[in-house]
Amino acid sequence: MAAPSQPQKSTYDVIVIGAGIQGSFTAYHLAQRRQDTLLLEQFLLPHSRGSSHGQSRIIRSAYPQEYYSRMMPECFRLWQQLGAETGTTLYRQTGLVVLGPPGEPELEACRRSLGTDKVLDAEALSRLFPGFRLQAGQVAVLDGTGGVLFADRALRAVQEVFRRHGGTLRDGEKVLSIQPGATVTVTTTAGVYKAPRLIITAGAWTGAFVEQLGLHLPLQPLRISVCYWREKQPGSAGLGSVSPCFLTLGLSQAPHGIYGLPSIEYPGLMKVCHHHGSPTDPEKRDQVPSSAPCPDIAVLSSFISSYLPGLETQPAVMETCLYTNTPDEDFILDRHPKFSNIVIGAGFSGHGFKLAPVVGKLLCELSLGEEPSYNMAHFAITRFPGVLGAA
């Protein structure tokens, strides 16, 4: 359903381009800071053209990178706060298991982030979760805080609170041009808007926007296959709605990692996906791909045969999503190096949804000229050489 009709005006304190989960949380924080905020979305809401649609995402405390794991306690708190503000259940605690070879550096870093010495061998994991079969010598780390975020519901909730705090959300308005300056001018298909500050959180479309501003960010949109797998015998695999989420690290047959969620979106179907995809143009992402076999499906089928033997080895349902990856798969959260009143949030690389409450807070702080709440070194634009061209 499209956003309710709101009064048309042209001048705001800040404009946010892109109403996915990152832009919406950014706008939410700005509105709570009493900033008169315009949130622009090119598609009519709700839509499935970007990276924030669908019913479920994993949330977890376990992270190989300390700079993300440090953010997670506040993320959990802010997700809980949003649920309370809207009277909506946004999170189901299922637990999460991280699977991999013993001593694998990222798996060990996840274990340290949880503050535990405990690892599960194949027998212990099978006792806890009968549907999983570890391979000989492999181990698992259990994150008891892990679970499922209800993504569509979460996006609606954060936009609802944004509007409740006086924010303006205009959907179905494609941005045509951005004119930088002390006052930034944004021209859309429906109007011209001005603000002293601009934040760009346009997902796979961000690269094209910042090119207008002389910035060449190494952002690669990927088309991801989102696959759902049926139990061979209903209820027999122990992988229903009470099973945990999981992710793999360091498996030779899945170098990009595989993740899974319990049967929530489609009863009796488990969501298992490869954390990788094929390069795409976001404008063409919905075109039917070639009939050539999808290599990601082959990777997943092989994994399921070995680790989840209670599931059929061909997907029952296939959907698509967009990732926008940076070369190091860390986010970009920074001011434009030439126009300090323009802030960019991009490159969430398929793991940004859970962190959106804190990402939005950081982008809000950057826009207001404040000292960010967390160390931003890993998110700086300048870590990529040669990004600034001629404006």
Side-chain angles (χ1 to χ4, degrees):
M1 185 176 72
S5 179
Q6 293 170 307
Q8 180 87 18
K9 68 174 194 172
S10 61
T11 304
Y12 294 86
D13 294 333
V14 59
I15 298 169
V16 180
I17 298 175
I21 196 65
Q22 311 296 348
S24 294
F25 254 117
T26 302
Y28 163 98
H29 285 288
L30 287 162
Q32 291 197 324
R33 300 285 299 275
R34 300 176 186 244
Q35 299 296 300
D36 186 11
T37 304
L38 171 64
L39 177 58
L40 291 170
E41 171 55 48
Q42 65 174 320
F43 301 114
L44 291 172
L45 293 169
H47 69 82
S48 58
R49 300 290 301 281
S51 303
S52 295
H53 65 284
Q55 294 180 46
S56 63
R57 296 292 189 281
I58 290 175
I59 185 168
R60 55 190 163 105
S61 296
Y63 244 108
Q65 299 90 348
E66 185 185 16
Y67 42 96
Y68 292 123
S69 64
R70 283 183 175 179
M71 295 176 182
M72 286 312 303
E74 185 173 13
C75 288
F76 274 101
R77 181 179 64 78
L78 289 172
W79 281 117
Q80 184 178 34
Q81 177 183 306
L82 177 63
E85 285 178 298
T86 56
T88 308
T89 300
L90 301 178
Y91 162 61
R92 178 183 294 173
Q93 187 172 356
T94 65
L96 173 133
V97 288
V98 186
L99 316 174
E104 200 282 329
E106 288 198 326
L107 189 142
E108 283 297 299
C110 282
R111 183 184 59 74
R112 287 193 299 272
S113 75
L114 295 170
T116 181
D117 294 326
K118 187 176 180 182
V119 294
L120 305 174
D121 61 14
E123 184 181 347
L125 182 66
S126 183
R127 280 199 304 270
L128 271 178
F129 306 115
F132 286 86
R133 180 187 293 164
L134 277 181
Q135 303 306 291
Q138 294 179 345
V139 296
V141 173
L142 176 62
D143 177 353
T145 70
V148 177
L149 285 171
F150 300 122
D152 283 346
R153 196 183 295 178
L155 187 60
R156 289 194 302 270
V158 70
Q159 291 169 355
E160 175 190 328
V161 176
F162 166 64
R163 288 197 294 259
R164 197 186 292 169
H165 283 270
T168 301
L169 171 57
R170 301 192 65 84
D171 63 349
E173 285 199 36
K174 184 179 178 66
V175 171
L176 302 176
S177 68
I178 300 166
Q179 182 63 45
T183 297
V184 182
T185 301
V186 177
T187 302
T188 75
T189 48
V192 178
Y193 307 100
K194 295 178 183 291
R197 296 185 300 281
L198 172 69
I199 302 172
I200 301 173
T201 51
W205 288 265
T206 299
F209 282 129
V210 300
E211 287 277 344
Q212 298 180 35
L213 304 170
L215 200 56
H216 309 293
L217 296 180
L219 297 171
Q220 177 59 69
L222 299 177
R223 184 182 191 272
I224 305 298
S225 297
V226 181
C227 302
Y228 299 83
W229 310 75
R230 194 182 309 280
E231 289 179 306
K232 290 176 179 175
Q233 294 182 340
S236 66
L239 292 169
S241 58
V242 295
S243 70
C245 302
F246 75 87
L247 59 90
T248 72
L249 292 172
L251 296 186
S252 57
Q253 67 265 51
H256 298 284
I258 290 171
Y259 65 92
L261 296 87
S263 173
I264 290 176
E265 295 176 60
Y266 297 103
L269 303 184
M270 189 173 184
K271 182 177 180 178
V272 183
C273 307
H274 193 202
H275 191 68
H276 191 58
S278 52
T280 190
D281 177 342
E283 296 290 350
K284 300 176 181 175
R285 160 257 165 114
D286 291 327
Q287 292 180 2
V288 178
S290 72
S291 57
C294 177
D296 296 320
I297 303 304
V299 168
L300 290 168
S301 294
S302 173
F303 173 84
I304 283 168
S305 294
S306 299
Y307 291 81
L308 299 166
L311 298 181
E312 299 282 357
T313 56
Q314 291 300 312
V317 175
M318 284 182 60
E319 299 172 346
T320 62
C321 189
L322 286 178
Y323 287 3
T324 306
N325 280 30
T326 61
D328 56 14
E329 297 190 3
D330 281 328
F331 310 157
I332 292 171
L333 310 173
D334 204 353
R335 298 182 183 93
H336 190 293
K338 194 170 182 180
F339 308 114
S340 61
N341 60 341
I342 297 177
V343 170
I344 299 157
F348 295 100
S349 302
H351 66 106
F353 200 102
K354 71 185 79 61
L355 287 146
V358 166
V359 165
K361 177 183 175 182
L362 291 169
L363 293 173
C364 170
E365 291 168 343
L366 285 170
S367 181
L368 295 176
E370 299 173 352
E371 184 68 26
S373 303
Y374 296 84
N375 184 336
M376 303 295 280
H378 292 281
F379 312 123
I381 287 173
T382 51
R383 74 186 193 267
F384 302 117
V387 296
L388 192 59

